[in-house]
Amino acid sequence: MKRGKRGIIYWFSISSLILLAGFILGGCNQEGKSKEDEKAVNIFNWSQYIPDHVIEKFEEETGIKVNYDTYASNEEMYAKLSAGQSGYDVVVPTLYYLEIMEKQGMLEKINKDNLPHLKNIDQDFMGLYVDPKNDYSVPFMWGTGIIAVNEKLIDKEVTGYKDLFDPQFKNSIVASDDMRFVLGAMLAMEGNDPNTQDEKQIEEAGKRMKELLPNIKLFDNESPKTVLANNEVKAGILYGGEAILAQRENPDIKLVLPKEYLLLWQENLVIPKGAPHKENAEKFIDFLLQPEISKEITMSYPYGNPNKEALKLLPEDLRSLIELPTDELKRGIYAKDVGEATAIYDRVWAEVKQ
């Protein structure tokens, strides 16, 4: 049948629209498919928590590409996730930030059927007050906030935080850049609750910390072990794993469980709300729960390990370093969500560091 000019134009217009719609729908379907089926997982974690060779082994075994970003504080992690869709599939908050994120509906429920190795986690670390059924979190690491001293560079015994105010420590202490850890130590030193929400007590802790500032050489959450091991400072207020790493390099380093306050912390693997690769996230989490893999992580970064089967594989000398005696464990205190008082801690900490 012969078409007129207008008919030809009309036919091409309709055909073009159909083709365009097909491309758009095809593109949408492809995009949806790529998000669901993409062989990738996006991790947001503390620095120096998972060694490169563990990541590489996961990629080799699963064919899933790991995109790995790091943060230096819970506050940094929380700010990024609170800003909107971050695109991350796994993050690792400390217990009290897990509490905040769960309250605010920021987490996906984990499908435990996809975690056959969850059985390896010691029950002592499961079912804590924040997530009693572990619907949203899997214990990953735990540890303490302690003091480390270089015995070769000092001439006194250090048993607690009060000893660090001695003038011989002038400009020679590295301190964790963690307000709840450090201000908690100052609160406990004065006989107050490290989780207090009392503004006056928090401000007094800030004043006490300012008195210690002449002795603080630097605040460092990334690698405080470096200056400690290199004899650049005489002491450190830091996490136990960092102190052990410093001691590996420098046998003059001694670890001290401070008498006034023993901070306990636990890091947890969680999946943020709207994670683009949830199944891959669960594969990654379960991979980390394998005893041999968990052991490799602890060998590289000697923090406390809640994986009871991995602990059996560790050298006895390392295991004795990362485990706490029962009496010490009982006096340990976890940092908890302090609600609106967080703003007071933020302000006081900013004043300390200005």
Side-chain angles (χ1 to χ4, degrees):
M1 187 173 93
K2 187 174 180 181
R3 292 188 181 94
K5 188 173 183 181
R6 180 178 295 180
I8 293 172
I9 293 172
Y10 177 79
W11 183 82
F12 274 113
S13 299
I14 294 297
S15 300
S16 299
L17 286 172
I18 292 171
L19 285 170
L20 180 60
F23 279 124
I24 291 172
L25 290 173
C28 290
N29 289 336
Q30 186 62 37
E31 183 179 352
K33 185 178 179 181
S34 66
K35 285 295 181 185
E36 183 181 345
D37 300 335
E38 185 182 13
K39 300 283 280 184
V41 64
N42 303 322
I43 312 299
F44 198 30
N45 194 4
W46 299 84
S47 62
Q48 301 186 20
Y49 256 28
I50 301 178
D52 290 343
H53 69 269
V54 167
I55 298 294
E56 291 164 3
K57 187 168 185 179
F58 174 79
E59 291 178 328
E60 290 170 4
E61 288 189 7
T62 65
I64 297 171
K65 168 68 177 172
V66 176
N67 301 308
Y68 201 95
D69 291 337
T70 63
Y71 52 87
S73 69
N74 280 294
E75 291 76 18
E76 179 187 347
M77 174 275 299
Y78 176 75
K80 192 161 187 178
L81 266 65
S82 297
Q85 290 294 326
S86 64
Y88 291 116
D89 301 302
V90 178
V91 296
V92 192
T94 305
L95 208 57
Y96 67 99
Y97 261 88
L98 167 61
E99 184 177 5
I100 294 169
M101 295 167 75
E102 188 174 332
K103 286 177 181 177
Q104 296 182 358
M106 296 174 66
L107 303 176
E108 292 281 357
K109 196 169 184 177
I110 296 173
N111 184 351
K112 295 176 190 173
D113 290 339
N114 292 333
L115 305 181
H117 293 99
L118 184 61
K119 63 185 179 182
N120 297 329
I121 299 297
D122 193 311
Q123 289 302 306
D124 287 345
F125 299 93
M126 300 284 284
L128 298 184
Y129 72 97
V130 176
D131 187 11
K133 295 182 179 179
N134 287 99
D135 287 330
Y136 300 96
S137 64
V138 173
F140 178 50
M141 285 184 178
W142 70 275
T144 56
I146 68 170
I147 296 171
V149 294
N150 188 324
E151 291 189 299
K152 189 176 181 180
L153 301 180
I154 62 173
D155 59 10
K156 68 175 293 181
E157 182 183 10
V158 173
T159 61
Y161 293 107
K162 285 186 179 180
D163 296 317
L164 300 180
F165 286 77
D166 191 303
Q168 73 170 292
F169 288 104
K170 184 176 180 180
N171 196 38
S172 59
I173 296 174
V174 58
S176 169
D177 192 3
D178 182 333
M179 66 180 183
R180 294 296 306 280
F181 174 12
V182 179
L183 290 178
M186 298 299 106
L187 283 162
M189 200 170 64
E190 299 303 312
N192 295 318
D193 180 1
N195 289 306
T196 186
Q197 298 182 38
D198 185 286
E199 184 171 8
K200 185 176 179 180
Q201 291 180 356
I202 299 167
E203 289 177 342
E204 287 299 319
K207 290 176 184 178
R208 198 76 167 100
M209 188 60 203
K210 286 180 181 178
E211 294 174 12
L212 186 61
L213 283 181
N215 290 359
I216 302 294
K217 185 179 181 72
L218 75 159
F219 291 95
D220 186 357
N221 256 14
E222 293 285 349
S223 185
K225 66 180 180 294
T226 303
V227 290
L228 195 58
N230 292 343
N231 296 319
E232 296 176 45
V233 295
K234 296 177 181 178
I237 302 171
L238 70 172
Y239 301 118
E242 285 285 309
I244 293 172
L245 288 172
Q247 190 181 56
R248 279 182 181 178
E249 297 180 33
N250 186 338
D252 293 322
I253 303 300
K254 177 186 176 184
L255 280 54
V256 178
L257 299 177
K259 61 183 181 183
E260 304 98 336
Y261 168 55
L262 183 63
L263 169 72
L264 292 180
W265 54 264
Q266 181 174 302
E267 313 288 29
N268 310 273
L269 299 159
V270 304
I271 301 175
K273 200 75 171 178
H277 314 103
K278 185 174 183 287
E279 287 190 12
N280 289 350
E282 289 165 345
K283 288 178 182 178
F284 183 78
I285 291 171
D286 191 62
F287 178 80
L288 298 182
L289 299 179
Q290 295 179 37
E292 281 289 348
I293 298 301
S294 184
K295 171 215 168 189
E296 286 300 313
I297 294 171
T298 303
M299 291 294 291
S300 296
Y301 303 119
Y303 294 98
N305 192 334
N307 190 315
K308 62 183 186 292
E309 297 304 318
L311 287 176
K312 297 174 183 177
L313 305 177
L314 291 173
E316 189 56 40
D317 58 342
L318 176 56
R319 185 171 176 174
S320 65
L321 279 174
I322 64 175
E323 292 187 313
L324 276 181
T326 303
D327 57 336
E328 294 288 359
L329 196 58
K330 284 182 178 178
R331 76 178 180 93
I333 299 174
Y334 287 106
K336 296 183 178 181
D337 175 27
V338 292
E340 294 180 0
T342 300
I344 303 172
Y345 281 92
D346 284 334
R347 172 175 60 79
V348 169
W349 189 242
E351 291 169 357
V352 166
K353 293 183 63 185
Q354 69 183 7

